[in-house]
Amino acid sequence: MANPTGFTHIPLVDISGLRSGDPAERAQTAEAMGKAAREVGFLYVTGHGIPAHLTDGVKAAAERFFAQPFDEKMKVFIGNSRNHRGYVPEGEEQFYESKVDRKEAYDLSIDLPADDPDYLAGNPMLGPNQWPEVPGFSEAVGAYYEAAFAVCRNMLSAFALALGEPADAFDAMITKPPSQLRLVHYPYNPEAADAPGIGEHTDYELFTLLMVTAPGLEVMNGDGVWIDAPPVADAFVVNIGDMLEILSDGAFIATAHRVRKVAEERYSFPLFFTVDYHTRIAPLPRFVKPGTTPRAPLIAGEHVFAQTAQSFKYLRSRLERGEITLPEASRPYGSFVRKQAGDEA
């Protein structure tokens, strides 16, 4: 099994070189990103090119939305949707075996029209967003989503180079991906004890681009020690997810992380960047070593949906009523990808 090193801090990489026309500069940036992905599974990125008015705009939009009365927010309750979009009240989501955390969220993804064929066919992760009637909300959040998504596409080309593949190796997988953006609000809680909040886990997708306003994120190093990953000015946190770990057969590491409870009010904006729903994810041939058992393949959208359906109350209720079913090859909920490769540590 691939393990991160005994790192004591999260490396910082300036990715402005990815927008350079100089192939050598792009290659140098990709090499630095790949080093972090292999040794840590996490990195801070600066030089991303997302202007401050977009990050400020999505933060302000989130503050306006979550400041509304509960009944107003529930008008776009996620359980009203057929494709997992909308407001997530406190207690609706229970992450792995952790206790219910004091947080609320709003979930969205690629905003497709209501006549999109995948949506009409019942795809559980594709379709239109359920936008609240908050002035300027959809415009601010949508603009940030587009900018962050573009940065993720550019980073994916760099990760491809770092894996020894052409820069466009994964482009055909990114045509209509259900990459989810979450606006997460942790209210001020003066009674909060310094204890784990969201439990230890890896992310399901290719990688996550995270903007956060306060401390709380912790990352486990190869020695089993939790390392703080506090906010860094003008930087995003990036962490490798299950799918890149599988594609690289463990060369890139989906490192376990968690969120510690803190008393201060906290906003978190993760964009979980993934591939098209029906994409088969399997180790690239160059990483499969003779005499070893490679990581088991999965279908991208089915993997994300299966994990999601087992952590949201409204989806668990639909499962119990037989209204929906889990994909046949679903991973057990909360299992790390590395465990299904035969290592239960």
Side-chain angles (χ1 to χ4, degrees):
M1 148 182 145
N3 276 313
T5 61
F7 61 87
T8 57
H9 67 282
I10 309 300
L12 188 148
V13 178
D14 180 351
I15 62 170
S16 58
L18 299 183
R19 302 193 303 278
S20 169
D22 181 358
E25 193 170 353
R26 287 183 60 84
Q28 184 177 21
T29 304
E31 182 180 358
M33 292 171 60
K35 185 175 189 295
R38 288 182 169 90
E39 296 180 358
V40 180
F42 269 76
L43 60 152
Y44 291 108
V45 296
T46 58
H48 44 77
I50 299 179
H53 75 269
L54 292 184
T55 55
D56 291 344
V58 74
K59 290 174 187 175
E63 289 172 359
R64 291 196 302 273
F65 174 76
F66 291 119
Q68 294 181 111
F70 179 73
D71 289 348
E72 283 297 311
K73 291 180 285 192
M74 284 298 287
K75 288 180 179 179
V76 290
F77 174 51
I78 197 164
N80 297 339
S81 74
R82 293 193 289 115
N83 57 324
H84 197 63
R85 312 290 176 88
Y87 176 60
V88 183
E90 183 178 324
E92 171 62 31
E93 179 187 19
Q94 186 169 6
F95 205 76
Y96 296 166
E97 299 303 322
S98 63
K99 296 179 180 179
V100 173
D101 197 17
R102 282 206 62 196
K103 77 173 191 298
E104 55 184 343
Y106 172 85
D107 293 356
L108 68 140
S109 187
I110 180 173
D111 196 17
L112 300 172
D115 62 355
D116 177 81
D118 285 307
Y119 179 64
L120 294 177
N123 187 292
M125 304 296 287
L126 292 171
N129 288 325
Q130 191 180 190
W131 294 112
E133 294 182 1
V134 175
F137 182 88
S138 63
E139 292 81 2
V141 175
Y144 174 78
Y145 182 90
E146 290 181 7
F149 187 90
V151 170
C152 287
R153 287 199 73 132
N154 214 3
M155 286 196 297
L156 182 60
S157 69
F159 282 133
L161 290 173
L163 290 171
E165 300 289 326
D168 62 355
F170 306 126
D171 285 3
M173 302 178 180
I174 312 288
T175 64
K176 193 168 62 175
S179 298
Q180 183 188 61
L181 173 65
R182 304 201 79 194
L183 318 183
V184 188
H185 177 224
Y186 299 83
Y188 172 66
N189 180 11
E191 299 176 358
D194 189 357
I198 294 178
E200 177 182 349
H201 66 283
T202 59
D203 289 349
Y204 317 140
E205 298 82 0
L206 288 169
F207 58 88
T208 302
L209 180 71
L210 172 68
M211 176 174 64
V212 68
T213 65
L217 178 63
E218 296 180 326
V219 180
M220 182 179 281
N221 72 12
D223 297 327
V225 176
W226 288 106
I227 305 298
D228 281 329
V232 172
D234 300 321
F236 287 84
V237 178
V238 173
N239 63 277
I240 302 303
D242 292 351
M243 294 179 196
L244 267 180
E245 182 169 297
I246 291 174
L247 283 168
S248 66
D249 202 31
F252 282 7
I253 305 165
T255 302
H257 53 285
R258 68 185 184 185
V259 176
R260 189 181 72 251
K261 292 182 179 179
V262 294
E264 64 187 293
E265 184 175 36
R266 183 175 184 267
Y267 289 88
S268 177
F269 303 87
L271 174 58
F272 301 103
F273 189 68
T274 189
V275 294
D276 293 346
Y277 189 93
H278 297 291
T279 304
R280 184 177 184 270
I281 299 292
L284 295 164
R286 71 171 65 245
F287 292 101
V288 178
K289 301 175 182 63
T292 64
T293 302
R295 282 158 172 73
L298 53 77
I299 302 301
E302 291 183 356
H303 175 59
V304 174
F305 174 68
Q307 300 297 301
T308 302
Q310 295 173 83
S311 60
F312 281 76
K313 288 182 178 178
Y314 87 94
L315 287 171
R316 291 203 301 267
S317 294
R318 292 180 185 178
L319 285 168
E320 291 167 1
R321 295 194 299 267
E323 296 173 8
I324 59 174
T325 58
L326 292 179
E328 187 175 339
S330 298
R331 301 279 192 264
Y333 178 59
S335 64
F336 291 2
V337 169
R338 58 180 61 90
K339 289 185 179 179
Q340 55 83 28
D343 190 331
E344 296 298 326

